[in-house]
């Protein structure tokens, strides 16, 4: 908590990592700042706990919160975490907060980052958080889940094209109350 | 197992439910048929166990297997199961088998079926398995996750448009070895 | 199911393995026998599902059921399964059925079998199911969780002494309605 | 972290709650104190992560750590958490640190606290952490898992008798290298 004002001074966004999602002193400290807060879901947090942590920040006066789904811990063996894409539309139904998805931590495998990026947008995510490094194999951490510049560029082209389709579809769609 | 030949006679596809994914006698019995088999992932099956169950069927002579991801059991409280979309591209990387996604069981909530259907296609699923009923509220089971005809039609329009985008994108994409 | 009468003829107890806990045809088949049925909990079965599977057997006429907790599937990395000892007194509170614990599958590690055997009895289990082999390192399966004859004998001495303490304590205990 | 010196001045033991097990600034702050630290396992922490959090404290100079297993988060529906008693002997095999078990949080049900207390001691726990309140139904939190004075006294009598048996058994036991 004591470093929060300094971090807020030099950063555009303050990120609360998954392991600190229920560090209530830290939540209150960032709640007293004006900078936006990126709140990552804890690896075994329920949806209710996730939204309650956002409430801790809001209750101190800072309503600028961006949620981020980054995968939950399950029995699954082939991916580092299990990306819970159900949570995106479920939160959209009950909260106005924007929600990002982190397919890098959510899969732990660079070969899955591309498909899950598209998947996240398709379920309604407001944005993505993707790990990129000029030379992933020399990265300090998380090399297995990090794209290089070419992989990222290729993915961005596809994402851009997808988002154009999505926007075009929404404009032509006849509004129906769901 | 003893009903398998009769079921095979009158059905186009034989479905093995999640609770029977490791019922080896049943797997071997459908392996001796020629009809395609839709193999649903067990609710706590690892990817390896899922593919091994397919091997049981193949080893008896029936290679016509369609895999189906239908959600795994986790601590999550707001959805009936957690749809594991990571598994779709992960299986695509190591197996030639087609894979469907069942967003009805995978979420247990009709308001999530639409978004997760798009999400499933976006991560590379070969098809979807969606529960539809003319009057879901009178359905014998699973009413909460079942679409009515209008909801299904609206979803199909969106899916059709999405698939057109996807096919168009793949045709124009410059092939890059990943 | 078709082998059930033959198995019943030559066995003292019919075991339903964890992977078949929801194989309803099999449950019904053993429900038509008179031999006792050892029903192992599925690796992701809730307590309710476990007891419902017992009901399937009872409803066909066979009330001789022995339940068996053998570990559930969790995120835990150091043991093969997580032995759920909470379930033993929880079931005792609502069911008259006897319940065994299998610390061999429930841990997957022979160094944990001894302590968890005592733990199982301490929480109220009616018995234990322990894998023993004259030469575990040559066993066809599950070598890592299998005791040899000396280890088993040593454990039995301790268990016997523990059970004597338990019986003695219960006799002297002043009855209190819990 | 800033309150740590004050807490250390007035407390005999500093408790790090499950939600802060990976709050590294807090771990380092208590590592600079001399008071013993009770470190509770995070609700989805692996054994390795649990021991690594202890290392954070030790590396700052405070070796007086007491570990505490308090249940992990699983799919299970009938108990608040799943008490992982496997972890007690597993940690004993690789660490010299004492380990307590908290059956109150580990079950969330007062009717399970007694049996799991015995179970914890039987698997080798060095102590127990049990919630007691003169009038549990008026407690500020966790009423469902809290014993009253009479229930606690009755449990302590049984525990005392059990521990006597355990000590007596260990003295008579012929030492065998395991």
């Amino acid at each position: 908590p004591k470093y929060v004002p300094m971090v807020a001074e030099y950063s555009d966004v303050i990120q609360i990592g998954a392991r600190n999602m229920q560090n209530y002193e830290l939540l209150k400290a960032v709640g007293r700042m004006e900078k936006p807060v990126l709140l990552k879901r804890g690896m075994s947090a329920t949806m209710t706990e996730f939204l309650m942590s956002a409430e801790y920040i809001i209750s101190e006066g800072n309503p600028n919160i961006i949620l981020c789904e980054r995968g939950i811990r399950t029995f699954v063996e082939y991916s580092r975490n299990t990306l819970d894409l159900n949570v995106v539309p479920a939160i959209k139904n009950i909260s106005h907060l924007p929600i990002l998805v982190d397919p890098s931590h959510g899969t732990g495998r660079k070969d899955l980052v591309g498909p899950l990026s598209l998947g996240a947008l398709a379920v309604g995510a407001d944005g993505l958080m993707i790990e990129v490094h000029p030379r992933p194999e020399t990265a300090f951490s998380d090399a297995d889940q990090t794209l290089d510049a070419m992989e990222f560029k290729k993915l961005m082209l596809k994402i851009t094209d997808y988002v154009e389709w999505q926007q075009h579809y929404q404009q032509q769609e006849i509004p129906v109350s769901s």
Side-chain angles (χ1 to χ4, degrees), chain A residues 57-93:
Chain A
I57 299 169
I58 292 168
S59 68
E60 294 289 319
N62 187 348
N64 303 312
I65 298 169
I66 306 161
L67 301 172
C68 183
E69 158 65 24
R70 44 76 73 203
I72 56 173
R73 194 161 264 182
T74 66
F75 66 84
V76 166
E77 89 289 18
Y78 70 90
S79 61
R80 186 174 169 188
N81 290 291
T82 295
L83 200 62
D84 178 15
L85 290 185
N86 286 358
V87 89
V88 175
I91 283 182
K92 288 280 169 197
N93 280 356

Side-chain angles (χ1 to χ4, degrees), chain A residues 10-30:
Chain A
Y10 295 101
S11 310
D12 294 322
V13 177
I14 306 173
Q15 175 179 314
I16 304 293
R19 287 168 187 76
N20 282 293
M21 194 202 82
Q22 293 187 313
N23 178 345
Y24 300 118
E25 290 302 315
L26 185 59
L27 296 177
K28 285 189 275 187
V30 301

Side-chain angles (χ1 to χ4, degrees), chain A residues 40-178:
Chain A
K40 300 195 89 173
R41 180 182 182 185
M43 60 188 81
S44 64
T46 64
M47 183 176 72
T48 305
E49 289 170 343
F50 192 17
L51 294 173
M52 282 299 141
S53 288
E55 288 297 323
Y56 260 86
I57 299 169
I58 292 168
S59 68
E60 294 289 319
N62 187 348
N64 303 312
I65 298 169
I66 306 161
L67 301 172
C68 183
E69 158 65 24
R70 44 76 73 203
I72 56 173
R73 194 161 264 182
T74 66
F75 66 84
V76 166
E77 89 289 18
Y78 70 90
S79 61
R80 186 174 169 188
N81 290 291
T82 295
L83 200 62
D84 178 15
L85 290 185
N86 286 358
V87 89
V88 175
I91 283 182
K92 288 280 169 197
N93 280 356
I94 59 174
S95 167
H96 68 285
L97 293 173
I99 180 163
L100 307 187
V101 169
D102 172 353
S104 304
H105 282 85
T107 63
R109 287 172 48 168
K110 69 191 313 188
D111 61 334
L112 304 186
V113 169
L116 273 297
S117 294
L118 266 283
L121 296 172
V123 300
D126 297 290
L128 298 165
M129 189 171 183
I130 298 174
E131 291 200 76
V132 185
H133 192 282
R135 292 175 58 196
E137 68 279 11
T138 67
F140 187 66
S141 70
D142 298 336
D144 291 344
Q145 69 194 38
T146 300
L147 303 186
D148 66 25
M150 274 304 292
E151 292 164 332
F152 181 62
K153 186 182 173 187
K154 183 166 173 261
L155 177 57
M156 278 308 296
L157 286 170
K158 186 163 189 180
I159 286 172
T160 308
D161 209 66
Y162 172 79
V163 172
E164 275 173 29
W165 168 78
Q166 198 174 41
Q167 287 172 341
H168 182 258
Y169 187 82
Q170 278 160 4
Q171 279 160 15
Q172 65 157 47
E173 197 176 19
I174 302 144
V176 185
S177 66
S178 64

